[in-house]
Amino acid sequence: MSENDSIPARQAAVALATDRFGADHRETLKTRNLLGFALHRADRVEEAERELRAAKDDCSRVLGATDSETLFGHSLLAYLLLDSGNVNEAAQQQRALVEASETALGERDPITLGRRVNHGVMLYHLGRLEAAEREQRSTLELCEQVLGAQHPATSACQLSLRTIRDAPPE
């Protein structure tokens, strides 16, 4: 089944959840995030962006900026923006996501650390090599302390740092 094939089912799930629970219920908001993700995967970028922005705003309004569903939708939007070439806003969204994750989960939480790695990668894509290297160095230190050298987030951070160091100067 292709991603396009799953979209009608996702749309039906949103309609059903809305009818059953109401527009502001957690389950409805979750199905909207998943619809936005399916639209993104189907390369229906404009529709996906509209849905993910609206779902993120509604999640934040209803559940709070640091709720897990809000953070999930926020991360989906950041990835969509990066994939669509809007790297500046993607980096801004990722930074805000890191800050919200630190508030909700703590700076040493594995999810927060993974989001910090992603933020460093986005800074690299923006050509902000010094800022990217600073972010990855501090993140790597925490990853090694908290997660250990073999954890995937630690490995991703090490790889990112090597890529940044091998890049031409700013």
Side-chain angles (χ1 to χ4, degrees):
M1 175 157 66
S2 76
E3 289 301 327
N4 269 318
D5 295 337
S6 73
I7 291 170
R10 296 278 183 207
Q11 291 168 326
V14 170
L16 182 64
T18 302
D19 288 346
R20 183 169 186 186
F21 304 117
D24 288 344
H25 191 275
R26 174 181 290 281
E27 191 62 31
T28 304
L29 297 168
K30 178 180 176 181
T31 60
R32 288 180 58 204
N33 275 332
L34 294 173
L35 170 60
F37 179 67
L39 289 165
H40 178 193
R41 298 268 313 211
D43 205 28
R44 293 167 59 175
V45 175
E46 289 177 13
E47 292 172 85
E49 185 174 344
R50 275 193 307 277
E51 186 62 41
L52 289 172
R53 283 186 189 280
K56 176 185 159 277
D57 291 345
D58 289 344
C59 282
S60 186
R61 176 180 53 79
V62 173
L63 304 172
T66 58
D67 182 83
S68 61
E69 194 62 41
T70 304
L71 295 175
F72 175 63
H74 201 153
S75 67
L76 293 175
L77 178 60
Y79 290 123
L80 170 90
L81 293 168
L82 181 63
D83 287 349
S84 66
N86 191 347
V87 181
N88 283 317
E89 187 179 358
Q92 291 169 355
Q93 290 286 338
Q94 190 68 33
R95 182 71 228 155
L97 179 60
V98 167
E99 290 169 2
S101 292
E102 287 173 343
T103 299
L105 306 171
E107 74 170 6
R108 299 171 68 86
D109 185 86
I111 293 170
T112 301
L113 292 170
R115 288 174 175 158
R116 284 188 60 185
V117 172
N118 291 341
H119 182 247
V121 169
M122 288 191 191
L123 291 171
Y124 168 78
H125 285 295
L126 282 171
R128 296 179 51 201
L129 302 181
E130 286 182 26
E133 185 170 355
R134 273 193 312 277
E135 180 72 14
Q136 298 305 43
R137 280 184 188 280
S138 64
T139 302
L140 180 59
E141 184 177 319
L142 276 173
C143 282
E144 288 174 339
Q145 288 173 11
V146 175
L147 306 173
Q150 303 304 312
H151 192 277
T154 306
S155 298
C157 195
Q158 290 169 335
L159 177 61
S160 175
L161 202 48
R162 281 194 300 273
T163 301
I164 292 165
R165 288 180 184 146
D166 291 344
E170 293 182 56

